[in-house]
Amino acid sequence: MVNMSITIKEIAEKAGVSKATVSLALNNKGAVSEKTRELIWDIANSNGYNKKSYTIKKNILFIKYIGNGAAIEHNGDFVARVVDAIEFASRELKYSLTIKNIEVGEFEREIKYIDFDSFEGVIILATELEADKGEIIRTIPVPTIAVDNMFEDHDVDCVVMDNYGGIFSAVRYLYELGHRDIGYIDSHIRFPNFEQRSIGYERAIRKLGMEYSEENIKFVQPNLEGAYCNMITELESGKRIPSAYVAANDTIAIGAIKALREKGYEVPEDVSVVGFDNIPFGRVLEKSLTTMHVDKEQLGELAVKALNNKIKNKEKGCIKMVTRTKLTVRESTCPPKAEQR
């Protein structure tokens, strides 16, 4: 009878290497030297290890990284719907899903202590994860997909919505309504998605022949109360208000609309507002919110399918999948007044 009592951890201790290295060697993966690979197999075989009896668990690890929570906890049901889609798609492909939360500042330490031998692959909700953490993601020894973060400067597999194109489309829509003075309400906390959206705004303004002015950019907290309070302060400063605003997300847009109305501005008659994400709350405002729709379910589903493809086909190339956004026109936008044209 084959003795399968020896564990990956025990092999690692005997060989003086990490558990990740043992896993890679036993599965003939990764950059493990031939000498180390032979040592690991000698230890495994001498302790009754049988490769044919070694089965990889059909388990995916889902890591939810929480930075300051501004983009994850304060943006309607965005994250919940992505997670639900990941869970559903995982079940469809016969994977079990283990969920782990990692708090701000703990990412590198937590990644070092995860037993990746228990998982075929990893999906990371990376909305609030700093761009330079891409190098840490690349050390994960199993296929890994990041969701909601492009990691442009790193070879990290990812699925993300079209942040740049979505904001560009929002600006272009307002331009086609007749607006020529279009502002942007940005988050003062910088996330990769918001960075791409602010770039999309500036390029759209310039490409459509309008004047780009930093005075038209307002920075607010990326939560409902913070956006409202910061916008009240801006409106009380007496600065000129453009005829339309694009907001970095719906939560910011809704907070800004509340402030505008409180200070006597009619939305959309005096100021049109476009959001981004299409969260449910935007549909139940007194004047429902025009926004850029993001298919949250598609983000989650594509992440699981891409990961499954990596696992099954052992593909080495880096993939970056971008899902399209779609303009959803409601009641918070209209053509500008004649004097605003």
Side-chain angles (χ1 to χ4, degrees), residues 162-177:
D162 187 3
N163 293 292
Y164 167 83
I167 290 294
F168 195 106
S169 295
V171 174
R172 184 172 55 201
Y173 162 69
L174 290 169
Y175 179 87
E176 290 172 350
L177 283 179

Side-chain angles (χ1 to χ4, degrees), residues 61-323:
L61 175 63
F62 176 71
I63 297 174
K64 179 182 175 184
Y65 178 77
I66 305 172
N68 57 40
I72 290 181
E73 306 296 346
H74 299 286
N75 197 27
D77 67 341
F78 184 93
V79 171
R81 290 176 66 178
V82 172
V83 174
D84 286 348
I86 289 172
E87 289 181 325
F88 181 80
S90 297
R91 287 197 302 269
E92 288 286 294
L93 292 171
K94 311 302 181 186
Y95 290 103
S96 61
L97 192 69
T98 300
I99 300 177
K100 178 179 179 60
N101 291 337
I102 297 181
E103 303 289 338
V104 62
E106 298 295 320
F107 188 73
E108 184 171 6
R109 185 180 70 84
E110 290 289 337
I111 291 296
K112 288 180 179 178
Y113 286 103
I114 292 173
D115 182 9
F116 289 108
D117 298 323
S118 302
F119 306 101
E120 281 200 80
V122 177
I123 297 175
I124 303 174
L125 181 65
T127 308
E128 297 185 350
L129 191 59
E130 299 86 350
D132 62 359
K133 296 299 189 293
E135 284 303 313
I136 298 173
I137 293 175
R138 293 184 68 227
T139 67
I140 296 174
V142 295
T144 302
I145 303 287
V147 179
D148 205 24
N149 194 325
M150 177 62 78
F151 291 102
E152 292 180 299
D153 298 327
H154 301 276
D155 288 336
V156 173
D157 297 319
C158 59
V159 180
V160 66
M161 81 284 288
D162 187 3
N163 293 292
Y164 167 83
I167 290 294
F168 195 106
S169 295
V171 174
R172 184 172 55 201
Y173 162 69
L174 290 169
Y175 179 87
E176 290 172 350
L177 283 179
H179 292 277
R180 295 297 182 268
D181 189 13
I182 303 171
Y184 186 63
I185 310 177
D186 203 350
S187 166
H188 76 84
I189 300 175
R190 308 313 291 159
F191 302 113
N193 286 341
F194 287 170
E195 293 284 359
Q196 292 174 14
R197 293 174 194 179
S198 63
I199 292 171
Y201 165 75
E202 180 177 352
R203 290 184 178 173
I205 291 293
R206 296 188 187 281
K207 191 170 183 65
L208 293 170
M210 291 178 284
E211 181 181 353
Y212 175 78
S213 171
E214 293 187 358
E215 291 184 0
N216 272 355
I217 302 174
K218 311 300 182 187
F219 289 94
V220 302
Q221 297 177 59
N223 59 67
L224 192 61
E225 186 64 23
Y228 160 74
C229 291
N230 294 155
M231 201 63 187
I232 285 287
T233 300
E234 286 289 338
L235 295 171
E236 289 178 344
S237 70
K239 296 177 182 177
R240 179 185 57 80
I241 300 299
S243 66
Y245 278 114
V246 175
N249 69 11
D250 284 353
T251 300
I252 289 173
I254 293 166
I257 288 174
K258 176 176 170 59
L260 285 163
R261 286 178 173 160
E262 188 170 305
K263 288 302 176 180
Y265 293 90
E266 293 293 333
V267 176
E269 292 80 6
D270 296 324
V271 184
S272 289
V273 180
V274 180
F276 195 111
D277 284 336
N278 195 18
I279 64 174
F281 190 29
R283 297 195 291 270
V284 299
L285 296 177
E286 181 181 346
K287 296 288 182 68
S288 56
L289 181 65
T290 295
T291 186
M292 298 306 301
H293 174 73
V294 175
D295 192 331
K296 298 88 173 173
E297 288 77 12
Q298 185 183 46
L299 279 175
E301 182 180 344
L302 285 176
V304 175
K305 288 183 176 179
L307 183 63
N308 180 61
N309 194 45
K310 284 273 184 176
I311 293 168
K312 299 299 183 185
N313 299 324
K314 297 180 173 57
E315 293 182 0
K316 301 299 182 183
C318 180
I319 62 169
K320 293 190 182 291
M321 304 177 68
V322 180
T323 66

Side-chain angles (χ1 to χ4, degrees), residues 11 15 17 21-22 25-26 36-45:
I11 295 175
V17 298
T21 298
V22 173
L26 294 178
T36 301
R37 195 181 300 274
E38 289 179 1
L39 172 62
I40 289 169
W41 271 108
D42 285 344
I43 294 169
N45 289 329

Side-chain angles (χ1 to χ4, degrees), residues 13-62:
E13 289 173 351
K14 290 177 180 291
V17 298
S18 69
K19 291 185 293 181
T21 298
V22 173
S23 180
L24 290 170
L26 294 178
N27 288 286
N28 294 317
K29 297 179 180 178
V32 180
S33 71
E34 190 60 33
K35 182 179 179 180
T36 301
R37 195 181 300 274
E38 289 179 1
L39 172 62
I40 289 169
W41 271 108
D42 285 344
I43 294 169
N45 289 329
S46 64
N47 286 273
Y49 178 87
N50 185 338
K51 186 179 179 183
K52 291 183 179 179
S53 300
Y54 183 72
T55 58
I56 301 175
K57 295 181 180 179
K58 290 271 290 182
N59 193 13
I60 293 174
L61 175 63
F62 176 71

